[in-house]
């Protein structure tokens, strides 16, 4: 048995179109949209009565993907507490390498992104920041200097 690849990271959002626009602004490319429902979906995700719209976005080089999902039923469950801090247990951050962190922050702010604090310097070789995006997602950006 061999691990072949990490296929995608999935994120549940409350506004699919806004989340698509946010990640397209970041530079991901919409690869497809669809909806799923039925017994096979219920069995796969462990819920009953699933009706879910989704969008698959890919990195410009095609090597990584992000799946966004909007649950029409059952309704999505909110985070407790809302917008948890970075040290909350569980997966809650996706990091992207960018060529211009300041430009990227400015573009994402037009889509509602908010810096958690500011841009930091790591080991003299990287500028890093965390910002909150759609559905409370923490997005990390890294620019090699």
């Amino acid at each position: 048995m061999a691990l072949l690849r990490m296929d995608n990271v999935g994120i549940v959002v409350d506004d699919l179109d806004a989340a698509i626009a946010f990640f397209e602004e970041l530079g991901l490319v919409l690869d497809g949209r669809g909806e799923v429902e039925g017994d096979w979906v219920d069995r796969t995700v462990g819920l009953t009565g699933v009706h879910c719209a989704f969008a698959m976005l890919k990195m410009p080089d095609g090597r990584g993907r992000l799946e966004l999902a909007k649950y029409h039923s059952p309704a999505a469950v909110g985070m407790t507490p809302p917008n948890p801090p970075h040290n909350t247990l569980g997966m809650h951050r996706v990091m992207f390498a960018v060529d211009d962190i300041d430009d990227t922050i400015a573009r994402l702010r037009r889509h509602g992104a908010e810096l958690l604090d500011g841009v930091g310097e790591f080991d003299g070789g990287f500028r890093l920041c965390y910002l909150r995006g759609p559905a409370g997602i923490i997005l990390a950006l890294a620019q090699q200097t």
Side-chain angles (χ1 to χ4, degrees):
M1 182 182 99
L3 181 64
L4 301 177
R5 67 180 178 274
M6 185 179 85
D7 191 62
N8 69 67
V9 172
I11 301 174
V12 176
V13 298
D14 53 356
D15 185 335
L16 188 58
D17 291 329
I20 291 169
F22 179 87
F23 284 104
E24 284 180 323
E25 185 68 45
L26 180 61
L28 276 73
V29 178
L30 183 63
D31 196 32
R33 291 180 75 146
E35 295 197 16
V36 292
E37 60 185 326
D39 291 338
W40 74 271
V41 180
D42 291 0
R43 195 168 34 259
T44 301
V45 301
L47 297 170
T48 302
V50 172
H51 176 212
C52 179
F54 68 91
M56 189 65 72
L57 295 105
K58 64 182 178 181
M59 293 292 296
D61 66 5
R63 293 174 43 187
R65 298 188 305 168
L66 181 70
E67 180 180 343
L68 303 173
K70 160 70 173 153
Y71 278 82
H72 298 291
S73 68
V77 177
M79 291 184 288
T80 306
N83 296 328
H86 181 275
N87 63 342
T88 302
L89 294 174
M91 206 278 309
H92 58 93
R93 174 190 58 76
V94 179
M95 179 176 261
F96 293 93
V98 299
D99 62 357
D100 184 336
I101 200 167
D102 298 313
D103 176 66
T104 304
I105 292 167
R107 289 186 295 109
L108 294 179
R109 279 186 165 153
R110 293 192 297 259
H111 292 269
E114 297 177 15
L115 279 172
L116 295 190
D117 191 349
V119 178
E121 300 278 336
F122 174 73
D123 200 26
F126 289 91
R127 297 182 70 214
L128 304 166
C129 73
Y130 282 21
L131 48 85
R132 197 170 299 278
I137 300 163
I138 296 177
L139 185 75
L141 302 176
Q143 176 188 343
Q144 192 167 6
T145 55

